Amino acid sequence: MQFASRLDNVETSAIRELFKLLGTPGIISFAGGFPDSAMFDVEGLKEASARALDEEPGGALQYGATEGYEPLRTQLSAFMKTKGVDVAPSGLIVTTGSQQALDLLGKTMISPGDKVIVEGPTFLATIQCFRLYGAELISAPVDAHGVKTDELEKLIAEHQPKFVYLIPTFGNPSGAMLSLERRKKVLEMAVKYQTLIVEDDPYGDLYFGEAPPPSIMALSQGVPGSRELIAHCGSLSKVLSPGLRIGWMIAPPELLSRATMCKQFSDAHTSTFAQATAAQYLKSGRMPATLANVRKVYGERALAMGAALTRELGDAITFTQPNGGLFFWARLTGANGKIADASVLAKKAIAQLVAFVPGAPFFAENPDLATLRLSFATANVEKIEEGIARLGKAL
Amino acid sequence: MQFASRLDNVETSAIRELFKLLGTPGIISFAGGFPDSAMFDVEGLKEASARALDEEPGGALQYGATEGYEPLRTQLSAFMKTKGVDVAPSGLIVTTGSQQALDLLGKTMISPGDKVIVEGPTFLATIQCFRLYGAELISAPVDAHGVKTDELEKLIAEHQPKFVYLIPTFGNPSGAMLSLERRKKVLEMAVKYQTLIVEDDPYGDLYFGEAPPPSIMALSQGVPGSRELIAHCGSLSKVLSPGLRIGWMIAPPELLSRATMCKQFSDAHTSTFAQATAAQYLKSGRMPATLANVRKVYGERALAMGAALTRELGDAITFTQPNGGLFFWARLTGANGKIADASVLAKKAIAQLVAFVPGAPFFAENPDLATLRLSFATANVEKIEEGIARLGKAL
């Protein structure tokens, strides 16, 4: 059987092999990118789902508009308003998780050979998703304050990309938060180079202390001409439930209408059953308490992991303590002859019954073999301390 | 903004313009492709959803395997067995409606310029879906017994297509049922030309009298070497609820694993919440009664529409009475100087407050302007009689 040539652009993920080992009994895993199932507001979602079927069974079970279920678009518009983004319900479309927003951006925007700038490192599924549409990915370097805007500007000027893809707030895997100053620079660059900026923001609500700076989309309202150059992807997956598969995309009208056409032929529309449930949940007023809860619990876990890493691995590792999101991004220093290759450490770690993800696959170009990603979301404090102690032993 | 070149291959649907008029008050619409919301087993789905959240809240709300939620794959495997198809749960993947199965087939199989043979007429969203991946579509003619296999064979030999896409049972829009003899011929051709056959089967459970012949997938078990050349797409949309967005695809392992990879970057997985609900519903044993109910009601409506068409339009129209599915496919004869162009009639019909869909857009090549599609699913018998009377007036 001869498959489409676009499949030649992607490889089976190295991480996939690692994930097969996670079933080993007794393993403590920091490898996933999941929220903790124990945090789901099951009762609230059960009520929301029952209400959806009671109040408008036709709407929840019938075909719906490709753009999204109107009551959910209204709720999402209001939710975005609480985050400083002024968008009408018609200014966003509902997507089947924010993964589908990425897919639609690829389908709508990328012709084979087009260049797209991403962060180095960036979300693994973004790399593969865009490559399937034939994108040539250019990697812009990141530090603790997010993408380095000086270098980003050089890359934009040199490559004239179709768009720039950023996860500015608690990025996956970097955990980094793009500073307010750099956010403004990104907006200025969008206007200067007339370049579309895609802001992927699944983690922005997951902050542990102070709220992060406003999103690039929110800030665009203050930078004349920039709003029409920003696409913003949101998601309920990390804060409410990934299983609903509810994401959304805000984008300039012309892009939004073409992405909607592409979505029509991708899955017709996102499950109206899930959409009506999400709409009822947002309407119920339970979201603020749910957010407060996940922020508190993940915040405690992040602190515990930071302290354990310092205690158990000392100068063999460097990292920036994340103020939100789900991840530590760390780098092996190789101090005192310790292991400096994260994929080597990953194998030794599995033998000690602890798992994490090496960082190399998260780079579209020039992988840094010393990097690794640790999720603090799914293990409790006790398991985190035990797991990091095992990691120290493996090292 | 410059969009991807693949968008040049599709046009905004002519039908879309028509659908904007359907909001006109008092209109009776035979234009949709929907099941009737009044037929949904709301109570059964409500129970199923509550049970899904009670029994395995983590599974229903967390990220899941791209291939599908295991309990649902098990139920679908059993459901297919009742229809004569022997497939292990691992031999199928769950898709976000069967529309996504088509999208994944396109993404996995079609390189720009590849040829794909479809029926003329065929499902409109299939045409656009495959064209977005750059397919060149070849149209094989259809009569009341489905695709004409002699002509199909000539086209396969001439074009060596990447695959052949058929809706053999109560096709949309043709309503036709591929005869048993022709099904066997299709299987022989698959083997003879080593050509992949895609069987899209959303309507196979919606029969009104005798059950249709076994699916091509079921029959493949009796034609050596053919099973590895068949992909089969199923759906709960027409018989249970489209809003769940639950479809599935059975395919040869190599194709299935690549389609799964493509799905990973399309939407990660289908809503586990919807999947767990569908699994509980199938497990509850309510499906046979639900099927019996939709068959009975749609069967009555199909009879009423056939009788009304004969009574009101007489020799101005020809059609074959469908034995299942949702659609009448008809042809204006132009007898006695009556209108013979369905798009002209569609406009006059709207003025009489009745709507249907002209058939031309359903042809990938050589549109037949005299054809039209009428759905009998959503209007009750009284409305059907009134609507067809209005159509007679419009003519």
Side-chain angles (χ1 to χ4, degrees), chain A residues 49 53 60-61 243 271 273-274 277, chain B residues 41-53 55-56 59-61 68-80 92-97 234-248 270-288 290:
Chain A
S49 155
L53 288 173
L61 296 175
S271 169
F273 180 55
T277 298
Chain B
D41 180 7
V42 180
E43 219 32 62
L45 285 165
K46 207 171 141 185
E47 277 171 27
S49 153
R51 228 169 14 244
L53 288 173
E55 289 182 13
E56 210 203 337
L61 297 174
Y69 180 65
E70 216 43 51
L72 179 59
R73 294 171 91 192
T74 302
Q75 289 295 331
L76 291 174
S77 159
F79 186 54
M80 288 309 300
L92 60 85
I93 63 172
V94 177
T95 58
T96 305
S235 172
L236 295 180
S237 293
K238 304 305 190 288
V239 290
L240 183 60
S241 152
L244 291 176
R245 308 303 303 126
I246 298 294
W248 59 95
T270 297
S271 169
T272 44
F273 180 55
Q275 288 189 77
T277 298
Q280 288 287 353
Y281 189 87
L282 290 169
K283 200 177 144 197
S284 74
R286 292 175 80 117
M287 196 64 171
T290 298

Side-chain angles (χ1 to χ4, degrees), chain A residues 99-114:
Chain A
Q99 180 67 45
Q100 192 190 41
L102 305 183
D103 187 58
L104 294 176
L105 281 164
K107 208 171 186 178
T108 307
M109 297 300 300
I110 301 172
S111 298
D114 277 353

Side-chain angles (χ1 to χ4, degrees), chain B residues 61-384:
Chain B
L61 297 174
Q62 185 56 280
Y63 283 111
T66 301
E67 293 87 346
Y69 180 65
E70 216 43 51
L72 179 59
R73 294 171 91 192
T74 302
Q75 289 295 331
L76 291 174
S77 159
F79 186 54
M80 288 309 300
K81 195 151 196 179
T82 67
K83 303 198 276 180
V85 174
D86 192 14
V87 60
S90 62
L92 60 85
I93 63 172
V94 177
T95 58
T96 305
S98 62
Q99 180 66 45
Q100 191 189 43
L102 305 182
D103 187 57
L104 294 177
L105 281 164
K107 210 172 186 178
T108 307
M109 297 300 300
I110 302 172
S111 298
D114 278 352
K115 290 175 178 175
V116 173
I117 298 179
V118 299
E119 288 157 297
T122 191
F123 179 41
L124 194 54
T126 301
I127 296 176
Q128 310 275 43
C129 174
F130 291 167
R131 280 192 177 149
L132 264 177
Y133 289 106
E136 185 190 323
L137 299 183
I138 316 288
S139 214
V142 166
D143 65 20
H145 306 289
V147 70
K148 295 180 180 174
T149 37
D150 291 351
E151 309 225 22
L152 177 61
E153 177 156 12
K154 278 183 221 150
L155 292 172
I156 292 176
E158 182 186 343
H159 294 288
Q160 299 179 290
K162 208 63 179 278
F163 57 86
V164 175
Y165 169 85
L166 302 173
I167 313 175
T169 311
F170 315 128
N172 177 6
S174 74
M177 192 174 70
L178 191 66
S179 66
L180 179 61
E181 195 195 336
R182 288 189 183 175
R183 284 169 199 243
K184 288 181 180 163
K185 276 203 185 139
V186 168
L187 284 165
E188 285 157 16
M189 274 186 252
V191 177
K192 181 171 173 190
Y193 296 96
Q194 289 294 298
T195 297
L196 179 69
I197 308 289
V198 174
E199 175 179 49
D200 192 5
D201 189 29
Y203 307 103
D205 294 308
L206 265 186
Y207 54 86
F208 306 144
E210 246 179 283
S215 64
I216 290 179
M217 179 55 93
L219 292 168
S220 74
Q221 291 152 194
V223 180
S226 68
R227 174 70 187 249
E228 291 308 290
L229 292 162
I230 311 294
H232 176 100
C233 310
S235 172
L236 295 180
S237 293
K238 304 305 190 288
V239 290
L240 183 60
S241 152
L244 291 176
R245 308 303 303 126
I246 298 294
W248 59 95
M249 178 163 70
I250 303 168
E254 214 191 348
L255 169 52
L256 209 60
S257 82
R258 280 174 176 77
T260 303
M261 185 197 72
C262 285
K263 178 169 168 63
Q264 194 185 346
F265 307 121
S266 289
D267 67 358
H269 61 86
T270 297
S271 169
T272 44
F273 180 55
Q275 288 189 77
T277 298
Q280 288 287 353
Y281 189 87
L282 290 169
K283 200 177 144 197
S284 74
R286 292 175 80 117
M287 196 64 171
T290 298
L291 285 173
N293 189 33
V294 290
R295 285 171 188 154
K296 178 174 167 289
V297 173
Y298 293 145
E300 287 162 5
R301 291 176 184 177
L303 280 179
M305 185 174 273
L309 281 170
T310 302
R311 188 169 64 238
E312 305 286 348
L313 283 85
D315 62 358
I317 201 168
T318 59
F319 62 89
T320 305
Q321 179 75 28
N323 296 314
L326 302 176
F327 305 111
F328 272 79
W329 180 244
R331 199 166 184 287
L332 300 172
T333 60
N336 305 316
K338 291 263 170 62
I339 297 167
D341 182 326
S343 66
V344 173
L345 180 60
K347 279 177 203 134
K348 292 194 186 284
I350 291 277
Q352 294 293 333
L353 295 177
V354 61
F356 65 87
V357 177
F362 294 92
F363 292 86
E365 300 180 300
N366 314 318
D368 180 347
L369 303 179
T371 54
L372 59 149
R373 189 192 77 175
L374 298 145
S375 164
F376 49 82
T378 49
N380 61 23
V381 168
E382 196 189 346
K383 291 255 169 165
I384 285 173

